């Protein structure tokens, strides 16, 4: 499944969460880059754990992005602890993270598509 498809499924999941989940208040602290990536990994893990076959592969693909970012930034990170902390910080309100993470996956997918297209062109 493509990055675009993965991002689209994350966005669908965010919309499906519906208005019952309030958007984070502006007064809440903005998570660090590491915490933000851990939140994406945690929310995608929830989708993987749901067992929904339509979103499983997309969520797994998205998870690879955030595992790579976390390990690339900090090879000794305790992923389990980071995900537990991220899950606790998110609580029940996963919609903002789904939207944010979906947008990031989409941006990465677009970049990869542009690079792939450029590599297919003959060198001058």
């Amino acid at each position: 499944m493509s990055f675009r498809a993965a991002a689209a499924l994350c966005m669908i999941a965010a919309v499906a969460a519906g208005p019952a989940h309030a958007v984070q208040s502006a007064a809440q602290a903005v998570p660090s880059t590491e915490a933000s990536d851990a939140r994406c990994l945690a929310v995608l893990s929830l989708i993987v754990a749901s067992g929904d076959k339509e979103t499983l592969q997309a969520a797994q693909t998205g998870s690879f992005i955030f595992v790579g970012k976390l390990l690339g930034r900090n090879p000794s990170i305790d992923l389990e602890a980071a995900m537990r902390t991220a899950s606790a910080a998110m609580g029940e309100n996963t919609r903002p993270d789904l939207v944010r993470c979906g947008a990031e996956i989409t941006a990465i997918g677009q970049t990869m598509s542009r690079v792939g297209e450029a590599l297919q062109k003959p060198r001058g």
Side-chain angles (χ1 to χ4, degrees):
M1 180 169 285
S2 71
F3 284 112
R4 277 188 219 156
L9 289 172
C10 287
M11 296 300 280
I12 290 167
V15 171
H21 297 284
V23 176
Q24 285 180 317
S25 98
Q28 287 181 308
V30 175
S32 69
T33 302
E34 187 170 285
S36 179
D37 289 343
R39 286 173 74 136
C40 287
L41 183 56
V43 78
L44 290 168
S45 295
L46 292 173
I47 295 171
V48 170
S50 75
D52 181 351
K53 292 182 183 189
E54 289 186 32
T55 58
L56 178 65
Q57 187 176 5
Q60 288 173 328
T61 300
S63 295
F64 294 140
I65 291 170
F66 295 102
V67 166
K69 288 179 70 177
L70 288 162
L71 291 173
R73 188 179 304 111
N74 179 1
S76 63
I77 188 171
D78 181 340
L79 286 174
E80 181 181 344
M83 288 177 65
R84 286 185 188 278
T85 300
S87 294
M90 271 189 310
E92 299 276 327
N93 185 13
T94 60
R95 185 168 190 234
D97 290 295
L98 282 168
V99 171
R100 179 181 54 76
C101 301
E104 187 169 345
I105 292 167
T106 298
I108 291 168
Q110 290 170 344
T111 298
M112 294 301 295
S113 292
R114 281 192 302 274
V115 169
E117 290 168 9
L119 290 173
Q120 290 178 6
K121 293 179 183 176
R123 292 181 107 179

